[in-house]
Amino acid sequence: MSDSECDSQFYSVQVADSTFTVLKRYQQLKPIGSGAQGIVCAAFDTVLGINVAVKKLSRPFQNQTHAKRAYRELVLLKCVNHKNIIFMYVADVFFPRYLVMELMDANLCQVIHMELDHERMSYLLYQMLCGIKHLHSAGIIHRDLKPSNIVVKSDCTLKILDFGLARTACTNFMMTPYVVTRYYRAPEVILGMGYKENVDIWSVGCIMAEMVLHKVLFPGRDCILLREDPQSFMLCKKFTLS
């Protein structure tokens, strides 16, 4: 296929402050979320006749770190197949910068402060743990579990997404100490200790508490402040070592 024929399959559209250059099959792009890893738009796939989510990765080739995160997310989404993990349409990865995934109705941030009954809350947590168990069984640590990285549908179906910080648990390399959003960061991560899959379980616990309390359980301003507070430091160390 010539360059001109290839170019004819794409078009550019301005979405908020970003330009999306996507295949013409994806129409009616509307922004639905953004973060450190990129911007996500809802779109209509005219070929499949369904709504999808198109994620534009943020500067995937700016440096080695960004490239590794983009590569990890692409590989993990391609390989992991579970009903509680977001599904990626592998054939629709284009320009290495764009990923096309199934579209959900909302992220957990938008429903976490609702008055959920015990049945719905239990079902959401159960699905969360099922997805994490599948990842851990495959030797994968998510390392960035938080409400904005968990999406739901109106029927209470839940899926985990955003694998830019995920790593294999059996690696021989030193784990990055600065991972997981601060509110959901396990004590061993804060204290710069070695960590394994259980840091994801801590994050799930923090999310569960937030669903019950309707507020962040540990609203720390800076992880360094914990080190400067001997009482809090020793308390976290006690929980980690016990």
Side-chain angles (χ1 to χ4, degrees):
M1 183 182 292
S2 66
D3 290 341
S4 59
E5 289 175 327
C6 182
D7 291 340
S8 67
Q9 296 183 28
F10 293 84
Y11 76 103
S12 297
V13 60
Q14 190 71 19
V15 179
D17 297 327
S18 181
T19 301
F20 275 63
T21 302
V22 297
L23 291 166
K24 289 182 178 178
R25 64 186 287 181
Y26 302 113
Q27 297 290 326
Q28 304 171 25
L29 272 69
K30 297 178 182 177
I32 57 175
S34 63
Q37 304 299 323
I39 303 172
V40 183
C41 282
F44 181 71
D45 186 340
T46 57
V47 175
L48 296 179
I50 59 173
N51 292 313
V52 296
V54 180
K55 179 177 181 179
K56 178 182 180 181
L57 297 175
S58 178
R59 304 183 299 278
F61 307 114
Q62 181 182 33
N63 53 46
Q64 189 177 43
T65 299
H66 282 71
K68 283 182 177 179
R69 290 180 179 178
Y71 178 72
R72 284 175 192 157
E73 182 159 28
L74 176 60
V75 170
L76 287 173
L77 285 176
K78 180 180 178 181
C79 297
V80 176
N81 181 21
H82 189 268
K83 62 181 180 180
N84 297 123
I85 305 295
I86 201 72
F87 176 75
M88 182 180 72
Y89 299 97
V90 179
D92 290 337
V93 177
F94 51 92
F95 276 6
R97 169 177 290 241
Y98 297 92
L99 307 178
V100 181
M101 299 170 284
E102 60 183 318
L103 180 66
M104 304 290 279
D105 294 328
N107 64 40
L108 202 59
C109 290
Q110 296 167 279
V111 300
I112 204 166
H113 297 297
M114 296 179 180
E115 291 295 337
L116 299 173
D117 57 39
H118 182 271
E119 184 179 358
R120 285 187 175 86
M121 190 179 299
S122 298
Y123 185 48
L124 290 173
L125 289 168
Y126 168 75
Q127 293 178 90
M128 220 180 297
L129 290 170
C130 285
I132 291 301
K133 182 179 185 299
H134 182 77
L135 291 176
H136 291 178
S137 297
I140 299 168
I141 312 176
H142 188 282
R143 303 202 306 172
D144 196 22
L145 281 175
K146 55 186 176 181
S148 60
N149 284 344
I150 298 169
V151 286
V152 296
K153 279 193 172 182
S154 56
D155 62 358
C156 229
T157 301
L158 177 145
K159 294 179 185 286
I160 298 168
L161 49 72
D162 205 333
F163 290 84
L165 289 178
R167 284 286 296 274
T168 54
C170 58
T171 180
N172 293 321
F173 296 99
M174 182 178 178
M175 287 289 200
T176 306
Y178 197 79
V179 294
V180 188
T181 300
R182 187 181 305 126
Y183 299 160
Y184 312 97
R185 194 175 294 158
E188 53 265 47
V189 178
I190 294 174
L191 299 175
M193 302 169 64
Y195 60 86
K196 296 183 179 180
E197 297 97 327
N198 52 0
V199 297
D200 287 340
I201 304 303
W202 175 277
S203 300
V204 172
C206 291
I207 295 170
M208 179 184 71
E210 192 170 339
M211 293 172 70
V212 174
L213 300 172
H214 302 301
K215 63 179 182 180
V216 174
L217 180 61
F218 298 120
R221 292 174 298 165
D222 193 321
C223 64
I224 303 301
L225 293 179
L226 182 63
R227 296 176 180 270
E228 297 171 352
D229 181 352
Q231 185 175 359
S232 297
F233 183 92
M234 292 307 297
L235 183 61
C236 273
K237 192 168 184 181
K238 177 183 178 182
F239 279 128
T240 305
L241 298 177
S242 60

